[in-house]
Amino acid sequence: MAKTSASRFLIVPAVALQFLAIFVLSVGLLSQAQAQAVDAQKSKVTLALATEPPTLNSAVATDTIASFVLSHLMEGLLVYGSDGELAAGVAERWQLDADGATFWLRDSARWSDGKPVTAHDFVFAWRHALKPSTASQYAFIFYPIKNAEAVNGGQLAATELGVSAVSDHELRVEFAKPCPYFLSLAAFMTFLPLREDVVAHWGGRYAADSDKLVVNGAYVLDKWVHGAHLRLRKNGHYWQKDGVKIHEIDMPYITADPSAQFNLFRDQQIAIAPLDTGLLDEAVERGFNIEYFHTGSLYFLEFNFREGRISSNRAFRKAVQRLIDPDLLVNKIIGLPGVKPAYSLFPVTVKGSEKPFREEYPVMRVDADIAEARKYLKRAKAELGLESWPPLVMLAGDSPRALQEAEYYQYLFKKGLGLELRIDQQVFKQRLEKMRRGDFDIVVAAWGPDYDDIMTFADLFTSWNDNNRGRYDNPLYDRWIRLAQSSNDAKTRFNAMAQIQRIVVEDVPILPTYENGALYVQNPRLKGVRRSIFGGDPNFRYAWIEQ
Amino acid sequence: MAISVFRFAPKTWGAADDLEAVAPIPLPSMANPTVILSGLMVIFLLLFVTVGPSLWRQSPSQQWLSQISEGASRARSVRIVSDNGAWRPSKKADAPSGLKVHAANTEYVRLQWPKLAGIERYRVYRGDADKPGLGLAITETADSYYQDRLQLSSEVYRYTIADADTGLLLLSREVRPEAAMSVFEAQLQGLIPVTNNKTQWVEIPGHPLGTDALGRDILARLMAGGRTSLFVGVVAPLLFITFGCIFGAIAGLMGGWVDQLAMRFVDFVVALPFLLFMILFRVAFGIGPGENGIMPLIVAMLVLSWPGSARLIRGQVLALRSQPFVEASRIAGVSTSRIILRHMLPNVLPMILVAFSFAIPQAIFTEAFLSFIGMGVSPPTTSWGALCNEGIKTLLSHPRQLILPAIFISLSVLAFNILGDALRDATDRRSGVVRA
Amino acid sequence: MLSFIARRLLSGVITIWFIATATFFAMHAVPGDPLTQEKAMSPAVRAQLEARYGLDKPLFEQYRLFMSNMLHGDFGISFTQENRRVNDIISKHFPISATLGIAAVLIALVGGVAAGSVAAYCRNRWPDRLVMVAVIAAISVPGFVIAGLAQLVIVAMNNAAGKTLLPVAGWGSVSQIWVPALVLGLGTMAYLSRIMRASMLEVLSADYNIAAKAKGVHGWRLFWHHQLRNAVLPVVTELGPTIAAITTGGFVVELIFAIPGLGRYFVQAVQQLDYTVIMGTTVFYGAFLVLVVVLVDISYGLIDPRIRLHRGRA
């Protein structure tokens, strides 16, 4: 018996020890050098990506992640410089007229395999993007170019497109209508050059892996493990390689979870991490370097104007306008500095003729007022001839913030107007499909600018725009847009835009709620990272690491 | 997350007891303290979600905009302040000599400072007065005044004005905002009539467990969420076990090719990857506007979870059919329905009960998991899993918003598991479980 | 025996067909389609895309094509990552999920056996109570809560140590496996330690154990050769289904720890309505599950002829 208890006595620690040994062994195995957020010696930055870029083929890429990666890999005719203004890229000079533009390419621009970048590469890329078989979502952005729309619709051959290589280093573009903002288009992702031989060689698998593309920008794609790891390394053939201070951008983490990214940042594994409401207090507490920038995108409620919808009644929309206070939404519900309440179709970042548009043409602000809102609602009820209010459908996305916002509106409608708002929460694609079919009364929508001109917002609610999902149809609105589109004169254009801004406030085709800002923490040794609306964000082309 | 097998011990149906062993052993171990405790826990949870809301009368959907993400609070009175969004100091007022506070309440803090030569832009920081550091940069402005409205609470803040370009600190001051509520909110909540906007005081209720990110009472939400969780947790197993039992019984009683076919079908359903198909079905069924998403959840569980009990019952029925006492009754000319009622049902019922009690925690977990990844119930309906999903986003700053619902999930799963365990032990020994 | 194996395999194949069909029709019942894009699309472009993915054909024709492609082991092209094949995605990302799953099972096995033995040895004393409390906690706390908390603990630990003891997230090095695997395997570990404790208690009171002790065997030898070997059997029989469940069920752990496994891809694909990836993944996982079950069945059949007969009859 004594023996038994002795053996028992021995076994317990022995088993525990065995278990512990395995654990310690594994911990020992792993303490190899871990990636650090910034490495001044190697001039290397480590980051986390929210998602993997769905594709790095510039002709079909649409998302912000692809735009970020491509802005480091590729260089267009023009680029956005360190100050966020347009600067010379592959084109060393250019000339813009009412009927077209000419670009003269620099001799020193090279692809990563050493071949020169020529005007033919641009002609090929643009034709390629417009071919119906490429099915590029961004094909419409070429439409200011002559014949672009017909080529995209399959009515004309791609060779009919109004772009030609006069010589290896001269590119001539003809416009279909005046396009005073063409230079900012020339810096856009879809306008990047493509090498015909490489695209033809890989076909549908072009840019699927790191060895299946050539680039002409500041970095080359050194490594791409799908879903796990991307690494960019300085491009030795880049014509301006001496200006590139960061030699390596390593992205060994791919996670969309802000908490996971924040934890990685706290552990000094990555140099930049986005913040949301739940993480803000903790970031402040730890004394992190918190920054924000305006993403240039507008969030709004879009009303449905299709036959028989309650939301097509103006008094009803005015009631909603007097009920929802963007200031309250931003400060109480969203609670992030950097997010701004919106009162206009045009965010404060939109450029005017000299100063920002909103400074030149201030918007009329409508303040929330429950008594007024109820008056409007009464009128709407009389106009619509309703006995009682039927429930309304609010279509919303499935992100945490969208959900929170929708629940807030639901409460406001119930308490403020006595209306029942039914939330229809859908995943991204289903929401888009329902928007297209008009399956909603109100939809929580957003719009980010595609190019650096006021028109990217303004023409959204014209009767012919397919992205006008509420089918708002106002001849007056359409007329102002036509006027602006046919003019090359800044004053005429912006006066028309001021009218558009007024119509949006008075007729409420949409109700702007907030202008989005991105809040993030950044490693204090990392300097010169450009955060911007256009040209890929964040941009490390001009960044450096402080010793 | 693997919803691995959440039962305490393998479900081996009483190995090797023959019918002689059926000797009546009086309900063993059902009276042990752990079991009593879990029984009480189950009763408490059921009371909490049913009777609770009539005792704690706050609405789970009421959003107190002035009390976003607050900790535990008592009922108190707050001042009503008129909010006008775009504030600027009146022109007449002289520029202050230092950092001047025009007003300080939890709706807005209005600051003004002297314009200093050579400084183009100011940056305003707001920090916690007890803690070192500047805190959060809430704005950058070219004006020499600012109205702060960003989620204020009545703690002491320290505002610091700095030069935005050089980072040079200029002025600093501590401010304690007074508890307040805007006229707009007071009118919205029906605390004052919409025609009245004279400054006055109103009473607001307390929140013993604090509020969530939309200012809703957490205690009320736990009750409402528990109702969903327990409803799904009980109704889904009830349905799929009933269905499974009928299916299994028919297969077992009919025998022959019907049985063969039925069992092949069971094999197919068992082979479906459970969570993948739960998600797939949830998307395929879709949730229309205004629907709470409970039905698709239950239907998906029903479709995927019934085979377990079907197999169990079929095996039992097959085994019982060949038992001497059943055969004897059949020879004696007892009708089939009577055989089923008198002889089969009493023998399988305990087993069904045990399967049921083990299925409950599993269903609760499944619901929680799906709601957690945003594929469960849809708002305004909530559940403990959905509350966890909301809470994990604020884990760092307000851990209670995750931990409270998580505790309730754990408690209910634990209690049902222990009860199931005890029930199984009891039935194992009491009823002669026959071997399949 | 051969006919038994053939029968099992055949029923496995039919099961996979059933899964594929169920997935196909479930997917096509979903409102909306994967071609929907943020920017409005011209009809010509849309027609091109529909043709590329065969969505312009009638449903039954699509089903026939899907089946015949599947027979050739081809699941088509992903909708969201237009230049990647679904086969590529599965072959790149499943090994990651599998590695994580196997590590989780190993941890669960070692931990479960150790904890169960300790508890049995110290029956009704504090180590037993401690293990049982831990088991109860691990079974009743939802995995997603444990995952979230685990990450916080690592960060706190690393910050306290001033260097990276354990990586917070990511994939690629051995060190990045352990924490997610532990979190994933925790529930199973608890379950296995329950079984282990019960079976060890049985072994400790068995005749051969007493005989071995009487013979003078003690200490490690007794534990290793006489007790563990016998006690571990019921645990091992539970492993088959457990491996399958864990390998296919790591969604949340993969999300929270930024692990590029197939589970994470599946959730993303569902949100993007990426038909081909959803169907490919589901069929693949289904086949994997069926394979595991068939293998387990066959091995039982080999070990114990009674099962073979019984299953054959059923």
Side-chain angles (χ1 to χ4, degrees):
Chain A
M1 209 54 218
K3 212 166 209 175
T4 320
S5 55
S7 67
R8 273 188 196 169
F9 185 73
L10 273 174
I11 290 298
V12 179
V15 174
L17 209 72
Q18 191 187 14
F19 191 43
L20 198 75
I22 292 170
F23 188 74
V24 168
L25 200 72
S26 63
V27 174
L29 262 177
L30 41 96
S31 298
Q32 306 137 359
Q34 287 290 324
Q36 283 300 310
V38 293
D39 185 336
Q41 249 128 45
K42 287 195 241 162
S43 197
K44 171 182 159 190
V45 178
T46 309
L47 304 170
L49 278 180
T51 59
E52 169 167 79
T55 176
L56 285 180
N57 179 353
S58 58
V60 292
T62 53
D63 63 302
T64 53
I65 304 287
S67 162
F68 154 68
V69 177
L70 278 170
S71 71
H72 291 83
L73 294 179
M74 304 284 288
E75 186 171 79
L77 291 168
L78 277 80
V79 294
Y80 288 94
S82 54
D83 53 356
E85 295 298 321
L86 285 171
V90 172
E92 55 187 349
R93 61 200 171 83
W94 52 86
Q95 191 186 336
L96 182 68
D97 310 311
D99 61 341
T102 310
F103 297 89
W104 288 273
L105 277 52
R106 63 182 76 247
D107 291 332
S108 52
R110 289 280 180 282
W111 289 96
S112 49
D113 60 0
K115 292 190 181 159
V117 181
T118 68
H120 302 286
D121 298 328
F122 287 93
V123 174
F124 169 73
W126 299 5
R127 285 178 182 167
H128 178 69
L130 275 168
K131 270 189 217 151
S133 60
T134 307
S136 170
Q137 272 194 71
Y138 262 113
F140 74 90
I141 206 158
F142 289 98
Y143 287 3
I145 299 178
K146 194 176 147 196
N147 291 340
E149 200 161 353
V151 169
N152 191 225
Q155 293 99 344
L156 283 179
T159 46
E160 298 294 310
L161 183 67
V163 56
S164 55
V166 178
S167 71
D168 271 2
H169 292 98
E170 187 180 341
L171 186 73
R172 173 76 200 152
V173 184
E174 292 169 80
F175 293 161
K177 53 191 174 192
C179 186
Y181 52 88
F182 191 78
L183 292 181
S184 85
L185 286 188
F188 187 75
M189 181 162 64
T190 321
F191 283 76
L192 291 169
L194 285 174
R195 270 268 292 282
E196 189 166 3
D197 54 337
V198 183
V199 174
H201 181 254
W202 293 110
R205 297 179 52 73
Y206 174 73
D209 290 296
S210 61
D211 57 347
K212 295 188 178 62
L213 78 169
V214 282
V215 299
N216 73 331
Y219 294 87
V220 291
L221 185 58
D222 184 43
K223 181 176 183 181
W224 186 2
V225 182
H226 285 286
H229 196 164
L230 270 86
R231 189 164 62 214
L232 309 183
R233 210 182 276 286
K234 191 170 160 176
N235 179 2
H237 286 284
Y238 183 52
W239 64 274
Q240 234 182 333
K241 61 172 183 270
D242 297 339
V244 181
K245 299 282 193 302
I246 304 279
H247 291 188
E248 191 181 327
I249 304 173
D250 197 17
M251 293 163 273
Y253 309 98
I254 297 185
T255 172
D257 179 9
S259 309
Q261 287 211 22
F262 184 67
N263 284 337
L264 283 166
F265 182 85
R266 284 206 316 181
D267 200 31
Q268 300 224 340
Q269 298 298 316
I270 56 173
I272 294 180
L275 288 181
D276 66 11
T277 320
L279 302 171
L280 181 59
D281 289 356
E282 180 72 12
V284 171
E285 190 130 312
R286 298 194 165 259
F288 287 148
N289 182 15
I290 300 170
E291 316 219 8
Y292 42 80
F293 80 102
H294 196 303
T295 61
S297 53
L298 178 75
Y299 282 68
F300 51 85
L301 298 181
E302 190 166 354
F303 296 98
N304 195 345
F305 287 84
R306 286 171 180 80
E307 197 71 23
R309 290 278 177 181
I310 284 168
S311 42
S312 63
N313 178 283
R314 180 170 174 273
F316 169 79
R317 301 196 305 273
K318 289 300 267 186
V320 177
Q321 187 181 35
R322 297 313 292 262
L323 176 72
I324 290 173
D325 183 355
D327 201 70
L328 203 61
L329 172 74
V330 164
N331 283 307
K332 298 280 191 190
I333 308 297
I334 299 175
L336 288 175
V339 178
K340 289 184 161 57
Y343 299 93
S344 162
L345 171 63
F346 308 116
V348 292
T349 48
V350 169
K351 290 198 183 97
S353 49
E354 248 128 67
K355 285 189 289 180
F357 177 81
R358 289 274 297 280
E359 284 178 30
E360 291 173 354
Y361 301 89
V363 67
M364 187 178 79
R365 180 174 159 163
V366 181
D367 282 319
D369 184 331
I370 293 184
E372 279 296 312
R374 288 184 184 163
K375 260 186 229 159
Y376 273 119
L377 197 73
K378 216 178 214 166
R379 209 164 93 196
K381 197 169 174 180
E383 284 174 12
L384 290 163
L386 290 172
E387 291 281 304
S388 63
W389 286 99
L392 297 164
V393 175
M394 174 177 270
L395 186 58
D398 64 339
S399 76
R401 191 194 279 179
L403 182 62
Q404 210 175 37
E405 225 186 294
E407 282 191 85
Y408 167 67
Y409 295 136
Q410 189 177 41
Y411 183 69
L412 271 186
F413 272 65
K414 183 89 216 153
K415 282 280 184 169
L417 300 178
L419 294 181
E420 189 192 341
L421 198 60
R422 293 185 168 164
I423 299 175
D424 187 6
Q425 193 196 355
Q426 299 291 349
V427 298
F428 186 62
K429 295 238 163 152
Q430 273 163 303
R431 179 166 62 92
L432 290 176
E433 176 64 14
K434 286 196 149 185
M435 279 169 81
R436 197 180 62 76
R437 291 204 309 241
D439 245 356
F440 62 92
D441 290 303
I442 303 173
V443 58
V444 185
W447 190 256
D450 288 322
Y451 49 90
D452 193 6
D453 185 75
I454 194 162
M455 197 55 86
T456 187
F457 284 102
D459 74 353
L460 203 49
F461 301 104
T462 54
S463 56
W464 60 81
N465 193 323
D466 288 331
N467 290 313
N468 171 7
R469 323 262 183 178
R471 295 270 174 281
Y472 178 64
D473 187 353
N474 181 344
L476 200 62
Y477 189 106
D478 289 358
R479 199 149 42 175
W480 285 116
I481 295 294
R482 282 218 180 80
L483 181 75
Q485 278 181 340
S486 58
S487 165
N488 215 9
D489 171 50
K491 192 154 176 56
T492 319
R493 291 183 84 230
F494 287 113
N495 279 338
M497 291 303 125
Q499 294 299 326
I500 294 292
Q501 179 171 260
R502 186 183 54 78
I503 290 174
V504 170
V505 174
E506 287 176 0
D507 201 34
V508 209
I510 61 157
L511 184 66
T513 48
Y514 62 93
E515 298 172 11
N516 201 15
L519 197 67
Y520 61 98
V521 281
Q522 183 173 327
N523 190 302
R525 287 171 66 200
L526 181 61
K527 302 282 183 191
V529 179
R530 178 167 64 78
R531 303 302 303 252
S532 60
I533 303 168
F534 303 103
D537 172 74
N539 198 301
F540 294 86
R541 164 70 183 76
Y542 309 96
W544 72 92
I545 295 167
E546 218 168 48
Q547 290 298 327
Chain B
M1 174 76 5
I3 304 274
S4 41
V5 204
F6 294 111
R7 48 196 150 82
F8 272 13
K11 260 198 232 170
T12 45
W13 292 106
D17 11 10
D18 37 309
L19 285 169
E20 276 74 9
V22 182
I25 297 169
L27 284 175
S29 78
M30 277 305 269
N32 102 36
T34 335
V35 177
I36 293 173
L37 207 63
S38 4
L40 287 177
M41 182 58 71
V42 169
I43 293 168
F44 163 74
L45 288 171
L46 290 175
L47 285 179
F48 179 73
V49 302
T50 50
V51 182
S54 53
L55 295 178
W56 182 247
R57 287 168 170 281
Q58 286 222 27
S59 156
S61 57
Q62 176 136 29
Q63 301 176 9
W64 295 96
L65 302 176
S66 50
Q67 301 167 65
I68 301 275
S69 284
E70 281 202 348
S73 62
R74 294 157 177 281
R76 60 193 190 275
S77 53
V78 294
R79 185 190 291 280
I80 301 284
V81 295
S82 74
D83 50 343
N84 100 39
W87 171 81
R88 56 181 307 152
S90 63
K91 288 255 157 53
K92 283 176 289 178
D94 296 328
S97 54
L99 183 56
K100 183 178 176 186
V101 178
H102 284 271
N105 55 58
T106 53
E107 288 299 311
Y108 49 75
V109 172
R110 291 169 173 172
L111 303 168
Q112 191 187 3
W113 56 91
K115 261 196 179 311
L116 298 170
I119 294 176
E120 284 171 15
R121 295 184 67 79
Y122 301 90
R123 184 179 294 150
V124 182
Y125 291 94
R126 182 180 85 190
D128 195 332
D130 309 333
K131 292 180 183 133
L134 293 173
L136 177 65
I138 45 176
T139 192
E140 261 188 48
T141 172
D143 303 318
S144 65
Y145 60 88
Y146 184 68
Q147 172 173 250
D148 176 24
R149 302 187 61 187
L150 189 75
Q151 287 190 351
L152 288 153
S153 67
S154 42
E155 56 181 308
V156 186
Y157 291 108
R158 181 178 50 244
Y159 286 92
T160 312
I161 313 292
D163 181 347
D165 300 319
T166 59
L168 190 69
L169 303 183
L170 307 169
L171 297 154
S172 176
R173 181 163 174 182
E174 289 188 4
V175 177
R176 180 184 201 108
E178 173 192 23
M181 179 185 276
S182 67
V183 172
F184 178 84
E185 190 191 341
Q187 289 176 345
L188 186 76
Q189 314 282 15
L191 296 173
I192 58 171
V194 286
T195 45
N196 172 336
N197 51 7
K198 291 195 195 79
T199 308
Q200 50 177 298
W201 292 77
V202 291
E203 280 288 322
I204 56 166
H207 307 287
L209 297 178
T211 55
D212 73 357
L214 277 172
R216 294 173 295 200
D217 185 71
I218 290 183
L219 180 57
R221 284 183 72 71
L222 283 174
M223 291 172 178
R227 220 159 30 239
T228 316
S229 289
L230 294 183
F231 179 78
V232 173
V234 172
V235 170
L238 204 62
L239 288 177
F240 70 68
I241 287 185
T242 310
F243 180 77
C245 287
I246 294 172
F247 192 94
I250 291 175
L253 287 170
M254 303 275 279
W257 64 270
V258 177
D259 181 38
Q260 283 288 329
L261 201 70
M263 284 304 109
R264 278 289 86 80
F265 187 61
V266 166
D267 283 347
F268 294 148
V269 179
V270 166
L272 299 178
F274 180 72
L275 279 179
L276 263 66
F277 266 77
M278 278 303 287
I279 295 173
L280 214 62
F281 281 165
R282 170 63 171 65
V283 176
F285 292 148
I287 289 193
E291 287 171 20
N292 53 24
I294 294 178
M295 267 332 279
L297 209 65
I298 291 180
V299 171
M301 271 194 224
L302 172 63
V303 169
L304 292 172
S305 302
W306 60 269
S309 41
R311 274 185 176 168
L312 179 71
I313 295 306
R314 171 188 166 270
Q316 280 301 305
V317 169
L318 277 186
L320 282 169
R321 242 174 32 156
S322 55
Q323 287 295 320
F325 66 93
V326 175
E327 280 181 11
S329 349
R330 197 182 302 139
I331 293 165
V334 180
S335 72
T336 317
S337 56
R338 201 174 153 72
I339 291 180
I340 294 176
L341 272 178
R342 288 279 304 158
H343 297 294
M344 300 224 171
L345 202 60
N347 271 301
V348 293
L349 203 59
M351 216 171 292
I352 297 176
L353 270 179
V354 172
F356 181 57
S357 66
F358 278 118
I360 292 176
Q362 227 166 326
I364 292 177
F365 252 160
T366 308
E367 187 280 330
F369 171 77
L370 287 173
S371 289
F372 179 76
I373 62 170
M375 301 256 170
V377 298
S378 70
T381 309
T382 190
S383 74
W384 286 336
L387 289 175
C388 281
N389 185 18
E390 285 164 23
I392 200 151
K393 292 190 282 284
T394 51
L395 177 59
L396 284 172
S397 37
H398 311 287
R400 134 188 113 259
Q401 293 176 8
L402 169 71
I403 290 176
L404 285 172
I407 285 178
F408 274 91
I409 295 176
S410 303
L411 281 183
S412 53
V413 168
L414 182 62
F416 280 111
N417 263 329
I418 292 177
L419 279 187
D421 249 3
L423 203 59
R424 194 205 43 226
D425 290 350
T427 52
D428 264 10
R429 284 179 230 180
R430 249 186 82 237
S431 69
V433 179
V434 266
R435 246 187 140 172
Chain C
M1 189 63 218
L2 272 179
S3 84
F4 169 72
I5 294 179
R7 242 193 343 261
R8 295 304 295 153
L9 283 179
L10 181 72
S11 89
V13 168
I14 298 175
T15 309
I16 294 169
W17 166 81
F18 179 77
I19 292 174
T21 309
T23 318
F24 181 86
F25 287 103
M27 228 33 252
H28 283 79
V30 175
D33 73 57
L35 294 181
T36 311
Q37 306 273 22
E38 190 163 14
K39 309 281 174 192
M41 211 184 295
S42 77
V45 169
R46 198 182 165 84
Q48 281 283 344
L49 279 177
E50 283 186 353
R52 184 185 300 172
Y53 290 103
L55 290 177
D56 49 348
K57 299 191 178 65
L59 188 64
F60 188 74
E61 178 66 15
Q62 285 185 44
Y63 175 67
R64 202 187 59 75
L65 269 175
F66 168 64
M67 280 298 162
S68 79
N69 284 341
M70 204 182 79
L71 282 182
H72 296 102
D74 178 13
F75 292 115
I77 315 163
S78 159
F79 277 87
T80 35
Q81 294 190 301
E82 287 177 36
N83 46 21
R84 288 185 78 196
R85 312 198 63 78
V86 178
N87 293 20
D88 257 16
I89 292 178
I90 294 177
S91 66
K92 283 234 169 67
H93 301 292
F94 176 69
I96 294 170
S97 289
T99 311
L100 182 64
I102 289 168
V105 171
L106 282 181
I107 290 182
L109 184 65
V110 172
V113 167
S117 312
V118 170
Y121 261 85
C122 309
R123 189 179 186 183
N124 292 338
R125 282 189 287 135
W126 66 265
D128 183 25
R129 300 255 155 79
L130 192 73
V131 167
M132 285 302 113
V133 166
V135 162
I136 285 168
I139 288 182
S140 344
V141 180
F144 48 81
V145 175
I146 295 182
L149 293 178
Q151 205 173 40
L152 280 188
V153 170
I154 299 175
V155 173
M157 211 169 77
N158 288 351
N159 281 356
K163 63 177 178 152
T164 303
L165 298 176
L166 279 170
V168 174
W171 189 256
S173 72
V174 182
S175 57
Q176 282 162 327
I177 298 176
W178 297 108
V179 177
L182 179 67
V183 171
L184 187 57
L186 212 56
T188 312
M189 190 198 289
Y191 174 51
L192 292 183
S193 43
R194 278 282 298 214
I195 299 177
M196 186 64 197
R197 176 177 181 269
S199 96
M200 188 55 117
L201 282 178
E202 228 166 83
V203 167
L204 287 181
S205 59
D207 296 343
Y208 58 79
N209 185 48
I210 298 167
K213 268 195 276 187
K215 214 172 71 181
V217 184
H218 59 270
W220 267 117
R221 213 184 133 73
L222 176 69
F223 175 72
W224 201 252
H225 287 272
H226 297 265
Q227 297 168 345
L228 187 66
R229 288 218 172 159
N230 287 302
V232 91
L233 271 176
V235 174
V236 172
T237 55
E238 287 288 331
L239 276 184
T242 312
I243 289 177
I246 282 189
T247 310
T248 57
F251 306 127
V252 168
V253 169
E254 286 176 12
L255 281 174
I256 290 183
F257 288 97
I259 295 167
L262 199 52
R264 199 175 73 161
Y265 255 83
F266 177 76
V267 175
Q268 272 172 18
V270 167
Q271 277 160 358
Q272 297 282 334
L273 289 191
D274 195 333
Y275 281 4
T276 44
V277 174
I278 295 173
M279 292 191 287
T281 317
T282 316
V283 171
F284 177 79
Y285 268 146
F288 175 73
L289 275 181
V290 168
L291 193 72
V292 170
V293 171
V294 170
L295 283 181
V296 167
D297 263 10
I298 291 175
S299 59
Y300 282 172
L302 287 175
I303 296 166
D304 184 352
R306 278 176 307 173
I307 291 177
R308 188 163 75 218
L309 284 172
H310 170 72
R311 294 279 166 116
R313 190 160 42 89

